[in-house]
Amino acid sequence: MPTSLETLFTPYPLSSSLTLANRIVMAPLTRCMATDDLVPTAKSADYYARRAEAGLIISEATIVRADGQGYPNTPGIFTPAQIDGWREITNAVHSQGGKIFLQLWHVGRVSHPVYLGGKQPIAPSAVPLSGRLRRSATENLEYGMPRALEAEEIPLIVQAFANGATNAIEAGFDGVEIHGANGYLIDQFLHYQTNQRTDEYGGSTEKNARFALEVIDAVVTRVGHERVGIRLSPGAHVHLEGQVADVPTFKYLLQQIQQRNLVYIHTGIFDDSVVFDYLGSTATEFLRQNYAGTVIGCGTYSPEKAAQHIEAKQFDLIAFGRPFIANHDMVAKLRQGETLKAYAESMLEDLY
Ligand code: FNR
């Protein structure tokens, strides 16, 4: 093993009952390969099992109820068939000695009536998402105006996240990651641009953080804090725009998460070298400065750079996304000092 990578191969105690074999995490990666009933397939089981040498796998984002969908053939965790499909995957990963968390997801306004039986996407507020939804190589649709959720609808979504967590444990997952990042529903509540509510779910630091905290509390109540992590994007980088007024919301949220003893927080970003002017730092630096527990860094890291950051205690674990798509045997290759294959978008067409 190259000495520059030794740190990546040190074990990490994530909780009192779960020690990861190494610091390498497979990032959540949507692959759009579930059946039309949003059930993951045996091919996905092979795909995840091939990557089981990662210290922890985080599954592709998985919707907690039908109106959480915004892309074709993304898996769900709200029907018995979906739970059974995921059980095949957790069994396959565990039989290879791996550990796997399920990422709980609702896209909010990042959807289109085409996925919602003709209905409008839901969101904290009726703020349209500009841009186009790529459905296939030949078809793309304009995102539109979402419908602002009624206050009494919100507890039902919180419960859907909690049910998703219960179902994930039933399906054999070692834990769940709440997808609070990348401009999806939870993130939409956290930012003023997309949360223009004036009720108890928006309009101040505490109110903007309320939905995220209700989801965390409901999920923790179901499965225990030692099986819950969360992904956050304090540096807004996709699907919405951040502003300086959002910073107190994230500081408050991180303080609150600290008290709830989750197993980790995880940076949601594509390139973690970006310095956000309103944060005064990179996204992961901001998380580290405002949170004393386990941090998973992510975003265009090379293995060498990730090892240096872990040694410098800038984060504790590193999640790799695209390198894991390109290299099913990424961990073995790193151990043996072999060169990784470069990622190409064409690799998304097949699930190897
Ligand atoms: C992603 N990413 C992502 N993030 C997330 O939280 N849930 C998801 O389902 C997905 N899906 C997804 C699919 C594909 C094809 C890509 C390329 C990315 C983001 C991913 O987890 C990671 O943050 C980025 O890929 C940056 O890490 P790398 O790829 O530079 O190591």
Side-chain angles (χ1 to χ4, degrees), residues 221-232:
T221 299
R222 293 287 187 89
V223 304
H225 67 93
E226 293 217 310
R227 292 198 284 202
V228 183
I230 189 164
R231 194 169 215 201
L232 295 171

PDB file of all heavy atoms in Angstrom, residues 221-232:
ATOM      1  N   THR A 221     -36.350   8.661  16.569  1.00  0.00           N
ATOM      2  CA  THR A 221     -37.313   7.968  17.439  1.00  0.00           C
ATOM      3  C   THR A 221     -37.554   6.543  16.940  1.00  0.00           C
ATOM      4  O   THR A 221     -37.663   5.607  17.728  1.00  0.00           O
ATOM      5  CB  THR A 221     -38.652   8.745  17.474  1.00  0.00           C
ATOM      6  OG1 THR A 221     -38.382  10.033  18.005  1.00  0.00           O
ATOM      7  CG2 THR A 221     -39.688   8.053  18.339  1.00  0.00           C
ATOM      8  N   ARG A 222     -37.588   6.384  15.624  1.00  0.00           N
ATOM      9  CA  ARG A 222     -37.857   5.050  15.074  1.00  0.00           C
ATOM     10  C   ARG A 222     -36.653   4.104  15.145  1.00  0.00           C
ATOM     11  O   ARG A 222     -36.811   2.925  15.445  1.00  0.00           O
ATOM     12  CB  ARG A 222     -38.282   5.165  13.604  1.00  0.00           C
ATOM     13  CG  ARG A 222     -39.591   5.841  13.376  1.00  0.00           C
ATOM     14  CD  ARG A 222     -40.774   4.963  13.782  1.00  0.00           C
ATOM     15  NE  ARG A 222     -42.004   5.638  13.380  1.00  0.00           N
ATOM     16  CZ  ARG A 222     -42.568   5.471  12.192  1.00  0.00           C
ATOM     17  NH1 ARG A 222     -42.049   4.641  11.307  1.00  0.00           N
ATOM     18  NH2 ARG A 222     -43.659   6.141  11.893  1.00  0.00           N
ATOM     19  N   VAL A 223     -35.471   4.605  14.802  1.00  0.00           N
ATOM     20  CA  VAL A 223     -34.352   3.657  14.606  1.00  0.00           C
ATOM     21  C   VAL A 223     -33.157   3.903  15.531  1.00  0.00           C
ATOM     22  O   VAL A 223     -32.212   3.109  15.527  1.00  0.00           O
ATOM     23  CB  VAL A 223     -33.887   3.624  13.121  1.00  0.00           C
ATOM     24  CG1 VAL A 223     -35.049   3.290  12.208  1.00  0.00           C
ATOM     25  CG2 VAL A 223     -33.214   4.908  12.680  1.00  0.00           C
ATOM     26  N   GLY A 224     -33.211   4.981  16.325  1.00  0.00           N
ATOM     27  CA  GLY A 224     -32.126   5.246  17.287  1.00  0.00           C
ATOM     28  C   GLY A 224     -31.042   6.118  16.665  1.00  0.00           C
ATOM     29  O   GLY A 224     -30.722   5.981  15.482  1.00  0.00           O
ATOM     30  N   HIS A 225     -30.465   7.022  17.481  1.00  0.00           N
ATOM     31  CA  HIS A 225     -29.494   7.997  16.944  1.00  0.00           C
ATOM     32  C   HIS A 225     -28.235   7.329  16.407  1.00  0.00           C
ATOM     33  O   HIS A 225     -27.534   7.892  15.577  1.00  0.00           O
ATOM     34  CB  HIS A 225     -29.161   9.053  18.010  1.00  0.00           C
ATOM     35  CG  HIS A 225     -28.412   8.505  19.190  1.00  0.00           C
ATOM     36  ND1 HIS A 225     -27.052   8.513  19.249  1.00  0.00           N
ATOM     37  CD2 HIS A 225     -28.854   7.904  20.326  1.00  0.00           C
ATOM     38  CE1 HIS A 225     -26.672   7.958  20.396  1.00  0.00           C
ATOM     39  NE2 HIS A 225     -27.738   7.582  21.052  1.00  0.00           N
ATOM     40  N   GLU A 226     -27.952   6.119  16.864  1.00  0.00           N
ATOM     41  CA  GLU A 226     -26.716   5.450  16.416  1.00  0.00           C
ATOM     42  C   GLU A 226     -26.845   4.866  15.013  1.00  0.00           C
ATOM     43  O   GLU A 226     -25.918   4.255  14.490  1.00  0.00           O
ATOM     44  CB  GLU A 226     -26.324   4.357  17.407  1.00  0.00           C
ATOM     45  CG  GLU A 226     -25.912   4.951  18.744  1.00  0.00           C
ATOM     46  CD  GLU A 226     -24.775   4.199  19.377  1.00  0.00           C
ATOM     47  OE1 GLU A 226     -24.895   2.955  19.463  1.00  0.00           O
ATOM     48  OE2 GLU A 226     -23.779   4.829  19.772  1.00  0.00           O
ATOM     49  N   ARG A 227     -28.027   5.035  14.415  1.00  0.00           N
ATOM     50  CA  ARG A 227     -28.206   4.536  13.044  1.00  0.00           C
ATOM     51  C   ARG A 227     -28.626   5.643  12.088  1.00  0.00           C
ATOM     52  O   ARG A 227     -29.162   5.374  11.020  1.00  0.00           O
ATOM     53  CB  ARG A 227     -29.251   3.410  13.038  1.00  0.00           C
ATOM     54  CG  ARG A 227     -28.729   2.177  13.769  1.00  0.00           C
ATOM     55  CD  ARG A 227     -29.503   0.940  13.436  1.00  0.00           C
ATOM     56  NE  ARG A 227     -30.779   0.902  14.101  1.00  0.00           N
ATOM     57  CZ  ARG A 227     -31.455  -0.215  14.330  1.00  0.00           C
ATOM     58  NH1 ARG A 227     -30.960  -1.376  13.927  1.00  0.00           N
ATOM     59  NH2 ARG A 227     -32.617  -0.193  14.936  1.00  0.00           N
ATOM     60  N   VAL A 228     -28.340   6.891  12.470  1.00  0.00           N
ATOM     61  CA  VAL A 228     -28.786   8.012  11.633  1.00  0.00           C
ATOM     62  C   VAL A 228     -27.646   8.998  11.359  1.00  0.00           C
ATOM     63  O   VAL A 228     -27.009   9.506  12.276  1.00  0.00           O
ATOM     64  CB  VAL A 228     -29.950   8.778  12.314  1.00  0.00           C
ATOM     65  CG1 VAL A 228     -30.456   9.901  11.407  1.00  0.00           C
ATOM     66  CG2 VAL A 228     -31.098   7.831  12.673  1.00  0.00           C
ATOM     67  N   GLY A 229     -27.426   9.258  10.068  1.00  0.00           N
ATOM     68  CA  GLY A 229     -26.528  10.333   9.637  1.00  0.00           C
ATOM     69  C   GLY A 229     -27.323  11.293   8.780  1.00  0.00           C
ATOM     70  O   GLY A 229     -28.480  11.038   8.438  1.00  0.00           O
ATOM     71  N   ILE A 230     -26.711  12.422   8.431  1.00  0.00           N
ATOM     72  CA  ILE A 230     -27.420  13.385   7.572  1.00  0.00           C
ATOM     73  C   ILE A 230     -26.450  14.022   6.589  1.00  0.00           C
ATOM     74  O   ILE A 230     -25.272  14.230   6.909  1.00  0.00           O
ATOM     75  CB  ILE A 230     -28.149  14.465   8.410  1.00  0.00           C
ATOM     76  CG1 ILE A 230     -29.061  15.331   7.527  1.00  0.00           C
ATOM     77  CG2 ILE A 230     -27.173  15.327   9.201  1.00  0.00           C
ATOM     78  CD1 ILE A 230     -30.091  16.159   8.297  1.00  0.00           C
ATOM     79  N   ARG A 231     -26.953  14.272   5.376  1.00  0.00           N
ATOM     80  CA  ARG A 231     -26.148  14.978   4.367  1.00  0.00           C
ATOM     81  C   ARG A 231     -26.683  16.397   4.225  1.00  0.00           C
ATOM     82  O   ARG A 231     -27.894  16.602   4.113  1.00  0.00           O
ATOM     83  CB  ARG A 231     -26.226  14.245   3.028  1.00  0.00           C
ATOM     84  CG  ARG A 231     -25.161  14.730   2.065  1.00  0.00           C
ATOM     85  CD  ARG A 231     -25.020  13.874   0.841  1.00  0.00           C
ATOM     86  NE  ARG A 231     -23.630  13.836   0.444  1.00  0.00           N
ATOM     87  CZ  ARG A 231     -23.201  13.531  -0.776  1.00  0.00           C
ATOM     88  NH1 ARG A 231     -24.064  13.194  -1.722  1.00  0.00           N
ATOM     89  NH2 ARG A 231     -21.913  13.522  -1.063  1.00  0.00           N
ATOM     90  N   LEU A 232     -25.772  17.364   4.236  1.00  0.00           N
ATOM     91  CA  LEU A 232     -26.157  18.779   4.184  1.00  0.00           C
ATOM     92  C   LEU A 232     -25.306  19.538   3.174  1.00  0.00           C
ATOM     93  O   LEU A 232     -24.142  19.187   2.945  1.00  0.00           O
ATOM     94  CB  LEU A 232     -25.963  19.431   5.568  1.00  0.00           C
ATOM     95  CG  LEU A 232     -26.844  18.907   6.701  1.00  0.00           C
ATOM     96  CD1 LEU A 232     -26.371  19.483   8.049  1.00  0.00           C
ATOM     97  CD2 LEU A 232     -28.318  19.248   6.474  1.00  0.00           C
TER      98      LEU A 232
END
